[in-house]
Amino acid sequence: MSFQSIVSSSQLLANLQQMQWTKPTEIQRKAIPKIQQGNDLVARAQTGSGKTGAFLLPLIERLMTLPLQSNRTHAVVIVPTRELAQQISDVAQQLMAATPCVLVTAYGGVKINPQMMALRQGAHLVVATPGRLIDLIEKNALNLSALKCCVLDEADKLLDLGFQPELQQLLTYLPTKRQTLLFSATFPEALQQWIKLVSANPQQIVVGVAERSVKTVQHWLHPVDKKEKLAALTALLEQHQFSQVLVFVKTKKSANQVSQHLTELGYLSDSVHGDKSQAQRQASLDRFKMGECQVLVATDVAARGIDISQLPAVINMDLPKVAHDYIHRIGRTGRAGEKGVAISLVCADEIELLRAIETALQRLVERRWLDGFVPNHNLPESAVRPAKKKKPHKKKLARAQQAANSNAKRAQTPEGEPAQKRPPLRRKPPIG
Ligand code: AMP
């Protein structure tokens, strides 16, 4: 299948050529026709498989002919991190080049005023993080009543505990008649109920092997003692001579310390974490993407969504607290079909985190000894436990159902069309 067979706008085709996207990736081949038919969609695709293009291409093609309406947008892409919002916007800008499409990017950590000003003329597409999106709506800078399509990218994280309140609130602002697209590399079982709430009879697409592995990434772990981790990291850097590495650590403090240590050893190193301003975080990522930094030490702010082309390696100096973040972290390498390695340094204290990761992967992570670092504190054996089916939190689910129901009652499209029939929400009996 060629882009010509699924994209009809000659300007979009020219932009694709400019970007050197010669043919659609698997997710783009599967998702674009379904989106064009107006279906709701739940797409599970490996990170790095081209999912951004899969939702942006049909959206831009559909929206670019629509007139702008002041303080309104035709589509919104909601993402969990500012970095991902910026990255998606960068791709959108390239795809929209020389079209009438207007894009507004909105995330926190930067002044809200320029975003409010930009929204005055209206937008075809807004790419936003949930908190800032709510702020803009509450300040009457943005009204979603004309919305045609809502995309939740990295939907698992968005629907995850941390974002549930924001999402519940956003549900009440969305018109009932809309297309909803959910994209993610992972869809834990507990979130299936939420998917039913935000989308209507969605079509399902799975691309590549399930969430449990990233095919092009070879990953293993080295058991090491906790106090030896820094020395083990430098030994790994010496041994492998990676052109670039993304190193994940647990805390902001250790991100600074490790980066400082590596700089003293002569590496071009930098750190990104939540204590840095958005501008600093973006500047560090840009330097890393341009190859001006060899080792970027990061907390999980960089685990998801960030696309660094040809990144050869990820090192987990600490395991993530949330098992699924392991998949997202190692997915920073091996993108767009490139090969990558992901190495974890695991101490005895982290055995429960390792077990949770191995349960999420449904297989053991290969263990290798690192010369000179065989630990004194043995890393206990682990065994793959059967994956648990977690029940969603009843109270939270009931609240969200209420929000969605009240939305269904009051949301009319701006043209006053009757709302699209969505499946009835089963009400839970009152709790407490
Ligand atoms: P994503 O999964 O959307 O983050 O995309 C991962 C990488 O694949 C990015 O560097 C994209 O620029 C690239 N990409 C996406 N679609 C295509 C395509 N059809 N042809 C070539 N590269 C692509």
Side-chain angles (χ1 to χ4, degrees):
M1 190 192 269
S2 64
F3 274 123
Q4 280 79 358
S5 62
I6 45 174
V7 174
S8 44
S9 151
S10 53
Q11 186 58 55
L12 259 183
L13 288 169
N15 293 346
L16 286 168
Q17 207 171 7
Q18 184 73 27
M19 292 161 78
Q20 295 178 344
W21 290 14
T22 47
K23 58 180 178 29
T25 63
E26 188 182 353
I27 182 72
Q28 291 163 1
R29 283 198 306 276
K30 288 185 171 170
I32 292 174
K34 287 192 167 25
I35 297 172
Q36 285 168 334
Q37 285 158 13
N39 297 306
D40 277 7
L41 185 73
V42 171
R44 188 168 76 186
Q46 278 173 20
T47 178
S49 58
K51 58 194 164 84
T52 314
F55 60 76
L56 283 181
L57 271 166
L59 262 187
I60 293 171
E61 185 156 47
R62 176 177 167 200
L63 303 178
M64 61 195 212
T65 54
L66 299 177
L68 286 177
Q69 283 178 271
S70 154
N71 296 108
R72 284 175 168 72
T73 183
H74 294 301
V76 65
V77 178
I78 306 174
V79 296
T81 65
R82 299 162 184 178
E83 285 79 5
L84 186 55
Q86 192 55 56
Q87 187 176 295
I88 290 175
S89 297
D90 293 344
V91 178
Q93 288 289 16
Q94 293 179 59
L95 289 171
M96 288 172 173
T99 72
C101 253
V102 173
L103 166 76
V104 173
T105 310
Y107 48 74
V110 293
K111 286 190 180 135
I112 196 166
N113 277 12
Q115 297 168 5
M116 293 172 71
M117 300 275 282
L119 284 167
R120 272 199 194 152
Q121 58 158 341
H124 289 94
L125 176 67
V126 171
V127 179
T129 50
R132 181 52 61 96
L133 190 58
I134 290 172
D135 285 350
L136 289 166
I137 294 167
E138 289 185 339
K139 288 183 188 300
N140 293 323
L142 180 63
N143 179 321
L144 296 183
S145 61
L147 193 93
K148 313 278 179 304
C149 182
C150 169
V151 182
L152 304 181
D153 191 25
E154 301 288 352
D156 55 344
K157 182 80 170 187
L158 277 167
L159 300 174
D160 205 350
L161 287 180
F163 283 107
Q164 279 182 10
E166 281 97 335
L167 207 68
Q168 272 170 237
Q169 194 173 347
L170 281 170
L171 266 182
T172 66
Y173 300 128
L174 296 177
T176 316
K177 183 177 157 55
R178 65 169 193 270
Q179 186 178 28
T180 305
L181 313 173
L182 292 104
F183 280 77
S184 187
T186 58
F187 278 98
E189 193 63 35
L191 301 175
Q192 295 302 327
Q193 294 289 341
W194 278 89
I195 291 170
K196 283 185 197 149
L197 274 176
V198 297
S199 57
N201 299 323
Q203 301 260 318
Q204 310 267 346
I205 299 180
V206 177
V207 168
V209 275
E211 63 184 71
R212 288 172 181 157
S213 67
V214 179
K215 247 198 308 198
T216 49
V217 181
Q218 197 193 0
H219 61 122
W220 67 87
L221 69 83
H222 293 300
V224 292
D225 279 331
K226 197 176 191 168
K227 61 177 175 28
E228 294 294 335
K229 281 194 174 188
L230 191 55
L233 172 70
T234 49
L236 281 176
L237 295 179
E238 255 319 280
Q239 184 185 329
H240 291 278
Q241 298 286 316
F242 298 119
S243 55
Q244 274 199 310
V245 193
L246 181 58
V247 175
F248 283 104
V249 293
K250 197 164 46 184
T251 64
K252 301 164 194 169
K253 191 171 163 200
S254 55
N256 285 337
Q257 284 170 342
V258 171
S259 167
Q260 173 75 29
H261 178 75
L262 294 177
T263 305
E264 283 162 14
L265 291 180
Y267 290 95
L268 293 171
S269 177
D270 199 352
S271 62
V272 280
H273 53 70
D275 270 357
K276 295 205 165 178
S277 73
Q278 189 52 34
Q280 286 173 318
R281 276 155 66 170
Q282 197 59 51
S284 298
L285 274 173
D286 289 345
R287 274 200 300 278
F288 192 59
K289 285 183 184 184
M290 284 174 352
E292 291 168 9
C293 163
Q294 287 169 285
V295 189
L296 185 66
V297 189
T299 56
D300 273 316
V301 292
R304 287 170 182 252
I306 304 308
D307 178 39
I308 301 150
S309 70
Q310 300 183 334
L311 176 65
V314 164
I315 298 179
N316 289 316
M317 229 178 123
D318 301 306
L319 289 182
K321 274 189 265 172
V322 178
H324 277 96
D325 281 347
Y326 179 83
I327 299 166
H328 289 286
R329 284 184 180 187
I330 72 171
R332 296 313 98 209
T333 177
R335 291 171 76 74
E338 301 278 339
K339 293 249 176 291
V341 298
I343 307 172
S344 300
L345 297 171
V346 185
C347 66
D349 287 358
E350 292 173 301
I351 185 62
E352 284 311 320
L353 299 176
L354 177 62
R355 286 178 178 150
I357 289 165
E358 290 176 330
T359 300
L361 296 168
Q362 282 293 290
R363 68 183 186 85
L364 297 178
V365 180
E366 184 192 341
R367 296 181 179 207
R368 296 185 189 175
W369 297 120
L370 182 61
D371 273 352
F373 292 93
V374 174
N376 293 323
H377 300 282
N378 203 24
L379 180 64
E381 286 305 314
S382 44
V384 176
R385 302 169 185 148
K388 265 194 233 158
K389 287 194 173 180
K390 272 197 254 161
K391 287 210 171 124
H393 196 293
K394 278 187 184 168
K395 242 182 194 168
K396 285 186 177 132
L397 201 59
R399 273 206 300 271
Q401 279 174 331
Q402 237 168 9
N405 283 348
S406 72
N407 170 40
K409 263 186 232 149
R410 69 191 177 82
Q412 285 286 323
T413 61
E415 300 86 8
E417 292 169 28
Q420 177 192 339
K421 207 160 189 282
R422 305 180 80 79
L425 295 161
R426 266 176 295 134
R427 270 193 183 284
K428 295 258 166 193
I431 293 163

